[in-house]
Amino acid sequence: MDREQQRSELYKGIWQIANDLRGAVDGWDFKNYVLGMLFYRYISENMTGYINKGEHDAGNTDFDYTEMSDEDAKEAREGLIEEKGFFILPSELFCNVRKNANNNENLNETLDKVFRDIEESSIGTESERDMKGLFDDIDVNSNKLGGSVSERNKRLVSLLNGIGSMNLGSYEDNSIDAFGDAYEYLMGMYAANAGKSGGEYFTPQEVSRLLTLIGLNGRKQVNKVYDPACGSGSLLLQSAKILGNDNVRLGYYGQEKNVTTYNLCRINMFLHNIGYEKFDIAQGDTLTDPKHWDDEPFDLIVSNPPYSTKWVGDSDSVLANDERFNVAGALAPKSKADLAFVMHSLSWLSNEGTAAIVCFPGIMYRGGKEKTIRKYLVERNFVDAVIQMPSNLFYGTSIQTCLLILRKAKENDKTVFIDASAEFVSATNSNKLSEENIQTIYKWYMDKKEVDHKVKLASIDDIAKEDYNLSISTYVEPEDTREKIDIAKLNADIKEIVKREEKLRAFIDEIIAEIEGGEANE
């Protein structure tokens, strides 16, 4: 089965599960159950495939971990946790639990124990933080699954069978990234229907791709990728898709305030076959309690931080003296933390790196503290580009966002202003970036050449003359699409019309005179 067929089968399977559970678990909650069970299947097959391959390569071709006794399997527990970050007994593997699910009156208790055992297998090891709480949002005892144990178990059987019947390829065939496809499809499907509750932590894949391409700035490898407001991790993983995992040499780093989303991000890493040793996702408020001081600087920073969120700002004396923020001469307003995320990203950016950040357009032109911060960014020559994006690209909002591109080692003092507001294709209830749109915008950014009505270069002095306004409309003149009128030709046409009118009037007068003359003779 080719890739597109596999993807089509995958989507059909997800819709089938949605239909089976409809009326019991609707909307955004449903996503937690499907992703949690998908993750359970993934790590079961991932570990089984890893063990089986080792045995088969050693000549034991009949070996199958799924048929091994729990007692025998425990002998390899310590080594497997060190290598994979977790351990699952054969009896607790997804396929074996599913096989016995129909006859298991205590299925909910079985699954609860399995999930707890998997998480606890990492306690005291390097992977403990990466595994802790990953199953918290798949509550097998929730009333949302049914009012009685038997009803809940019936739906859990349906869920196990739905996930188990999906054609996700096999570990040995290296097609395991179908799990990642399933994750992205589910997130996109439910973010589109869940408004802000889902969309606030999922950046559409095509936007993630553009942002990452620009952030890579032509590079073929980077040391580390970082997102200070990583949500479900879709932006972090784009670099692996574009460069290949090996070319993100030291891994993926992110921080997320929302605990449910933090869990989703770690699951997303596993489902895209990123080993626990190569990602470091932290939970907490990046602005007030950043977790990766010992890991910065980063070559690539990509982020879609929350728009106009509140924060404590300069009323906190520690933040007022924080080296990430105070260098600009002002901290972002308490009611609008957007530029605090920008300054944090700049602070942790390597000298050779690029930060690509989705921004609310208001930060480009508002006065007060935000103008002070913009002035600092411009005068220190950190603003590489500002790109106006089309409206209605993001789930839960129709605003026309901007991309702010920061670099510390620019070749000159020019900032590239790009109006990409017309680069989109219309889709149901939203706009999308096609691959052609992405490549057009990317080329404008990389070329850094002026294009009428699309791209304008401005120096530091040019921006200073505009009072440090970074709005696209200040620099890129929109194309006048009104019909152009040739005044000389218009005047000539009017003269000709007047002449013809005069002739017509004279002709009409003659006819009237003849009629009146005839009536008089009678």
Side-chain angles (χ1 to χ4, degrees), residues 208-216 235 238-239 242 300 302:
S208 297
R209 175 169 165 74
L210 173 64
L211 204 64
T212 305
L213 280 171
I214 289 173
L216 288 170
L235 270 169
Q238 275 296 324
S239 52
I242 294 170
L300 173 61
V302 283

Side-chain angles (χ1 to χ4, degrees), residues 84-111:
K84 302 301 294 180
F86 57 90
F87 176 75
I88 308 175
L89 289 167
S91 67
E92 295 187 335
L93 291 168
F94 177 91
C95 62
N96 287 331
V97 172
R98 179 193 176 197
K99 188 188 302 179
N100 301 313
N102 264 324
N103 302 316
N104 187 349
E105 295 180 356
N106 301 308
L107 179 60
N108 60 327
E109 294 179 10
T110 297
L111 285 169

